[in-house]
Amino acid sequence: MSANKIANTQSRALRTISIVLLSVLAFTGVAFILGATSFKLGLDLQGGTSVTLQPRIEAGQAGKVTSESIDQAVAIIRQRVNSLGVAESEVSAQGTGVNRQITISVPGETGRRIVDLVGQTAELRFRPVLAEGAANATTVSADAANTTLPAGVTPELNAQFAALDCTKPENRQGGGGDNEAVAIISCDRGGIAKYILAPAEVLGRQVTKASSLIDPQGTSGWYVTLDFNGEGSSKFGAMTTRVTTLPPPQNQAAIVLDGLVYSAPRINEPINNGTAQITGNFSQIEAQDLSNVLKYGALPLAFDRGEVQQISPSLGAEQLRGGLIAGALGLLLVIVYSVLYYRGLGIVSVGSLLLASVIALLSFLLLGELIGFTLTLAGIAGAIVAIGITADSFIVYFERIRDEVREGKSLKSAVETGWTRARRTVIVADAVSMIAALMLYFFAVGGVRGFAFTLGLTTIIDLIVVFFFTKPLVTVLAKFSFFNEGHALSGFSNKSLGIVQKQAVATGGVNNG
């Protein structure tokens, strides 16, 4: 390799190191700006909230509580929790047969809100309005002397309507379980009105997408938009087309979730584009929670909530201390080994390990703030494993350089040719680690996913450090005479490379002759 080319390579190496260090400083500043100054800890480290959901067995519906329906509910609840950015939650089914229960454990102080959210059955119905009245009305007729009931309203429905007092909070608990094929009496969620509603014509399972949005004009506040599949679009279009021709209040379509009316808008024209909106003076959190519940479909069963318990983090704190000690000892042992074996070259390994550690810690802080990543014992184990991955990368590179020097090349040339040979090995080794991490993440649950995520993240960090810090730093050091002239403490002396011993053996052979 020519002297000019080596000089250019060393100049680029300095720029690369500078950019990496400045980037780390910049991300540190971003972390402080975002307030990401502490780690979000998982359930095993900081404790949290746990609740048990017991399937509600309605009269004549015991057969609905099957292993398949429980497993489906577990999958839906897990999706809802993950959609809120809550990592390392635990959702599992326990027991057998009709006695099976679902246990949900969520880390942190937000546990109670999430437990309230994930247990919703989310039975969404679109029902035409047959009659509407005040929350405590005693008849559907506006004129007490008029005994004629609106079309579709039977005396039995009228009697149920009169008996329901929607001003009482206990009558506005919802809970689903309504029969989609029959008319029902329902309160609105604010306790202002009550309705007689016709059988459902569009169902929640026909919704393909749900999103929370805010009205840019500021008139409607937060609302939820729904997109229907082909069947839902057709039925929603037919329903809205028909009710536009009817007198009030039968020109309204009620949006019913878990047995409560969220809104009952008047339909002014047919809606055939396959979309609908749910309005109702939502706050941002209410709109987001509702869209997340609807996005992943209805639970196949209704559930009664058991006792909500707080999980103590005391055991996790002791395990965390042990994990941190193990990680620190592992890092220290690798550093000591590198300095003793590679002498001056150990500067590179120490710098690489420290930089990788800083980047990993910054990543944990920023991801915790941005996507809710939580650090668990399993995640810490993944980070400890990463120490070995990073050490393996620079050892492969160092040994390649030493092989090149043994073959008679100058150190400056060996740094470049050794890198050409070593980087393929480094990439292949990290690719294997990344594949393992991805497989574990997508096919495992619970704490194993935390281990897989951390392992994958630190593998990427290892590639960044090796390519943009380790190799450039070795290139820069190679220009100093301490290293390229083979000082005894440089790691490139004849003794360190094993050249002296080989010469001694050869000389001894001549003398014996």
Side-chain angles (χ1 to χ4, degrees):
M1 183 175 292
S2 67
N4 287 337
K5 189 172 183 179
I6 291 176
N8 290 335
T9 300
Q10 291 175 336
S11 178
R12 287 197 302 270
L14 278 173
R15 288 198 300 270
T16 301
I17 293 173
S18 300
I19 291 172
V20 168
L21 296 179
L22 288 174
S23 297
V24 171
L25 287 175
F27 279 109
T28 302
V30 170
F32 277 101
I33 292 173
L34 295 178
T37 55
S38 60
F39 300 108
K40 292 185 181 297
L41 301 179
L43 185 67
D44 53 355
L45 299 180
Q46 70 161 329
T49 306
S50 178
V51 67
T52 299
L53 300 180
Q54 177 68 48
R56 183 186 306 156
I57 302 177
E58 307 287 351
Q61 294 184 333
K64 290 180 63 177
V65 183
T66 63
S67 295
E68 291 75 15
S69 62
I70 293 291
D71 291 341
Q72 183 184 355
V74 168
I76 292 172
I77 290 173
R78 187 175 289 128
Q79 285 178 314
R80 290 180 183 177
V81 174
N82 292 339
S83 72
L84 295 171
V86 180
E88 304 305 332
S89 59
E90 298 177 6
V91 182
S92 60
Q94 299 176 350
T96 58
V98 296
N99 295 319
R100 293 192 81 190
Q101 300 174 328
I102 296 177
T103 300
I104 308 166
S105 300
V106 182
E109 297 177 356
T110 59
R112 287 186 179 274
R113 171 197 161 214
I114 294 169
V115 165
D116 289 340
L117 172 66
V118 297
Q120 293 182 28
T121 54
E123 292 177 342
L124 179 67
R125 315 277 196 239
F126 287 82
R127 293 175 176 269
V129 173
L130 296 178
E132 177 184 6
N136 56 358
T138 57
T139 179
V140 298
S141 176
D143 184 357
N146 185 359
T147 58
T148 303
L149 297 176
V153 177
T154 64
E156 291 78 12
L157 287 173
N158 188 36
Q160 294 174 26
F161 179 86
L164 179 63
D165 186 353
C166 290
T167 62
K168 297 180 178 180
E170 60 267 25
N171 291 332
R172 303 196 305 271
Q173 297 302 310
D178 59 304
N179 189 337
E180 65 194 55
V182 300
I184 65 169
I185 314 300
S186 177
C187 301
D188 82 322
R189 69 189 188 104
I192 298 174
K194 60 180 175 179
Y195 301 86
I196 299 178
L197 305 174
E201 298 190 22
V202 185
L203 307 177
R205 60 174 174 265
Q206 294 160 343
V207 174
T208 59
K209 181 181 178 182
S211 304
S212 59
L213 300 170
I214 187 169
D215 182 1
Q217 305 300 323
T219 56
S220 300
W222 283 90
Y223 62 94
V224 176
T225 63
L226 305 175
D227 291 343
F228 299 107
N229 60 16
E231 179 186 13
S233 298
S234 176
K235 290 185 175 182
F236 191 70
M239 180 183 69
T240 55
T241 299
R242 188 184 71 258
V243 301
T244 55
T245 63
L246 300 176
Q250 295 184 346
N251 61 349
Q252 298 171 229
I255 301 168
V256 185
L257 181 68
D258 289 341
L260 285 179
V261 175
Y262 267 62
S263 60
R266 183 176 61 190
I267 308 300
N268 296 320
E269 58 185 13
I271 303 174
N272 297 305
N273 58 0
T275 63
Q277 291 184 2
I278 302 178
T279 58
N281 297 319
F282 296 120
S283 67
Q284 180 179 357
I285 291 179
E286 289 174 334
Q288 290 173 343
D289 286 352
L290 178 58
S291 66
N292 278 327
V293 169
L294 297 175
K295 189 183 303 180
Y296 296 108
L299 296 180
L301 303 168
F303 291 89
D304 292 318
R305 183 191 307 169
E307 182 180 1
V308 179
Q309 298 179 333
Q310 292 301 119
I311 302 173
S312 171
S314 57
L315 179 60
E318 295 178 4
Q319 294 174 326
L320 173 62
R321 190 179 304 110
L324 293 177
I325 292 173
L329 287 176
L331 184 62
L332 179 62
L333 288 174
V334 172
I335 290 175
V336 170
Y337 170 82
S338 299
V339 173
L340 292 177
Y341 187 76
Y342 289 109
R343 307 295 178 88
L345 196 57
I347 295 173
V348 179
S349 59
V350 172
S352 298
L353 285 169
L354 292 178
L355 180 63
S357 299
V358 170
I359 295 176
L361 292 176
L362 279 175
S363 299
F364 296 157
L365 289 171
L366 288 171
L367 291 175
E369 187 67 27
L370 297 175
I371 65 172
F373 169 74
T374 56
L375 192 61
T376 64
L377 287 173
I380 292 173
I384 294 174
V385 170
I387 296 174
I389 295 175
T390 303
D392 181 65
S393 297
F394 61 67
I395 288 173
V396 168
Y397 181 32
F398 291 171
E399 291 303 321
R400 283 292 187 182
I401 295 174
R402 299 174 85 170
D403 286 342
E404 296 292 321
V405 174
R406 290 188 187 102
E407 293 175 4
K409 293 182 180 179
S410 68
L411 179 58
K412 293 179 181 179
S413 178
V415 166
E416 303 306 322
T417 56
W419 172 246
T420 301
R421 295 182 178 183
R423 65 187 175 193
R424 177 180 176 86
T425 304
V426 171
I427 292 173
V428 170
D430 281 350
V432 171
S433 296
M434 182 58 68
I435 291 172
L438 291 173
M439 295 291 286
L440 284 173
Y441 186 82
F442 287 109
F443 293 103
V445 296
V448 178
R449 295 189 76 199
F451 172 85
F453 184 88
T454 307
L455 179 62
L457 176 63
T458 50
T459 300
I460 295 172
I461 292 173
D462 173 56
L463 285 173
I464 293 172
V465 170
V466 169
F467 273 77
F468 300 107
F469 183 80
T470 304
K471 192 274 176 181
L473 183 57
V474 174
T475 300
V476 171
L477 294 178
K479 73 178 182 179
F480 292 99
S481 57
F482 177 82
F483 290 96
N484 61 45
E485 292 181 4
H487 188 279
L489 298 178
S490 67
F492 291 107
S493 64
N494 288 340
K495 183 177 180 180
S496 297
L497 296 174
I499 297 176
V500 174
Q501 288 85 340
K502 290 182 180 180
Q503 291 175 342
V505 171
T507 302
V510 172
N511 291 336
N512 291 335

